Amino acid sequence: MVTESGGSGAIAILMNDGRGHFKLTATYDTPSIEPASTAVAALKKGGNLDLVVSCYGGIAVFPGNGDGTFGVATLYSTNEVGAMASVVAHFSGDSNLDVATATVGYVGSLFYGNGDGTLQQAVPINLRQGEGGTTTLVTADFNKTVFTTWPSAHPPTWLSS
């Protein structure tokens, strides 16, 4: 389990003992303040699970070591302040995992994965405007095209290109 460690800019890793109990095993400082959400995926093909942490300065990717520990994070700028949520999925049709992020405003960012654990520079995606910003993201193949769709919620908004 990964959780924010207060407003300090740190995240905490809690390991499950298999009986429903969790123990704090490590904390990691993010390269920015205010971590808001975390996604977990193997950004390197055939690799270990990595952490993608949305935070004030963008998204921080912590490479997984495969033993419950993580390496030093790389910060990727969303070109907007305040990444609130991130999801990992296949958005581009290649076999690499990509990361989509929503910020406190009306702009999202799409980071195409390189398949080696790194991401390309953010591509801005305009979200439809409404009251407040987008704070939650989910992904799925809603229209059964084998391409992941990215709806966002709160307020209910949809991508516009």
Side-chain angles (χ1 to χ4, degrees):
M1 180 183 324
V2 181
T3 182
E4 174 190 339
S5 183
S8 66
I11 57 170
I13 310 297
L14 294 93
M15 297 299 256
N16 186 340
D17 66 3
R19 296 178 301 216
H21 301 103
F22 294 88
K23 179 181 178 182
L24 177 67
T25 57
T27 58
Y28 295 92
D29 290 327
T30 62
S32 182
I33 59 172
E34 298 181 17
S37 72
T38 304
V40 179
L43 297 178
K44 180 178 180 181
K45 291 180 186 174
N48 302 316
L49 291 176
D50 306 309
L51 296 178
V52 178
V53 180
S54 302
C55 48
Y56 187 78
I59 60 169
V61 176
F62 291 83
N65 295 325
D67 61 359
T69 65
F70 297 88
V72 176
T74 300
L75 184 65
Y76 293 90
S77 174
T78 58
N79 299 315
E80 292 287 326
V81 174
M84 295 299 296
S86 294
V87 291
V88 180
H90 295 282
F91 292 109
S92 62
D94 62 13
S95 62
N96 301 329
L97 286 173
D98 309 305
V99 179
T101 300
T103 64
V104 294
Y106 301 111
V107 178
S109 295
L110 182 57
F111 298 87
Y112 292 109
N114 295 317
D116 61 0
T118 65
L119 302 171
Q120 297 176 26
Q121 184 175 1
V123 175
I125 299 173
N126 292 320
L127 301 174
R128 297 178 85 177
Q129 293 191 7
E131 294 289 325
T134 301
T135 59
T136 303
L137 295 177
V138 296
T139 59
D141 182 8
F142 290 105
N143 57 357
K144 299 181 183 178
T145 62
V146 299
F147 295 108
T148 303
T149 308
W150 178 25
S152 56
H154 183 66
T157 55
W158 295 91
L159 282 180
S160 62
S161 46

